[in-house]
Amino acid sequence: MSIADKQALLLEELGFFQDWTERYEYVISLGKKLAPMEDASKNAEHLIKGCQSQVWLDAKLEDGKVRYVADSDSLITKGMIALFVHVLDDETPDDILTADMSFIDRTGLKEHLAPTRANALNLMANQMKQRALSFSLPS
């Protein structure tokens, strides 16, 4: 399944919910399903700077695909990073780098976030692309 397909499916799932509180509950549930991140990885190196809450992101390359691990000290923020992990995990660096991340605008979540949290979505997307870029650069 391509990144665009995963994004479309996620938007379809969010479309089932009639109001923004139900959407947030769904996003929070995605965060709760994230694979656990080791405490040792929750450090300054993996911290996404500029987010209101602490958000950690780690990535590794396995068989040519980027595998992301993320966590946050806030349930909603953990859910927000889970949206990106959901669509970008287990994809090639090049596919991640060329992915259109504007799908997040179509979720309708930004309209109900404080400006600092809405900005965090952009920071998360950029950081995930930066991690993919580091794997696509020649050694």
Side-chain angles (χ1 to χ4, degrees):
M1 183 179 292
S2 72
I3 291 173
D5 290 340
K6 291 184 207 177
Q7 291 172 344
L9 184 59
L10 184 63
L11 289 170
E12 183 180 321
E13 289 170 357
L14 284 167
F16 290 131
F17 304 106
Q18 299 305 309
D19 65 41
W20 66 271
T21 54
E22 291 176 335
R23 287 182 182 189
Y24 277 111
E25 287 173 14
Y26 176 73
V27 170
I28 288 168
S29 75
L30 286 178
K32 290 178 178 178
K33 293 176 188 172
L34 277 178
M37 183 178 220
E38 293 182 22
D39 286 339
S41 294
K42 294 178 187 176
N43 57 40
E45 178 187 347
H46 297 120
L47 193 65
I48 298 178
K49 299 183 182 37
C51 293
Q52 183 177 347
S53 302
Q54 292 189 82
V55 185
W56 300 276
L57 176 67
D58 194 10
K60 59 184 172 185
L61 193 64
E62 288 181 0
D63 300 321
K65 298 201 175 176
V66 181
R67 299 307 314 255
Y68 291 102
V69 180
D71 201 353
S72 176
D73 62 354
S74 158
L75 285 176
I76 189 62
T77 306
K78 186 172 181 174
M80 289 167 23
I81 191 79
L83 291 171
F84 293 114
V85 171
H86 185 73
V87 298
L88 298 178
D89 187 54
D90 205 26
E91 297 290 343
T92 66
D94 288 344
D95 286 344
I96 293 167
L97 290 170
T98 58
D100 178 5
M101 300 307 285
S102 66
F103 84 97
I104 203 68
D105 296 328
R106 296 191 306 277
T107 63
L109 298 173
K110 277 187 175 182
E111 290 80 30
H112 302 283
L113 288 173
T116 53
R117 284 239 159 98
N119 183 52
L121 289 167
N122 296 329
L123 294 170
M124 290 174 195
N126 289 338
Q127 202 49 232
M128 292 186 88
K129 285 196 173 216
Q130 285 290 33
R131 300 294 166 98
L133 179 62
S134 71
F135 295 124
S136 72
L137 296 173
S139 303

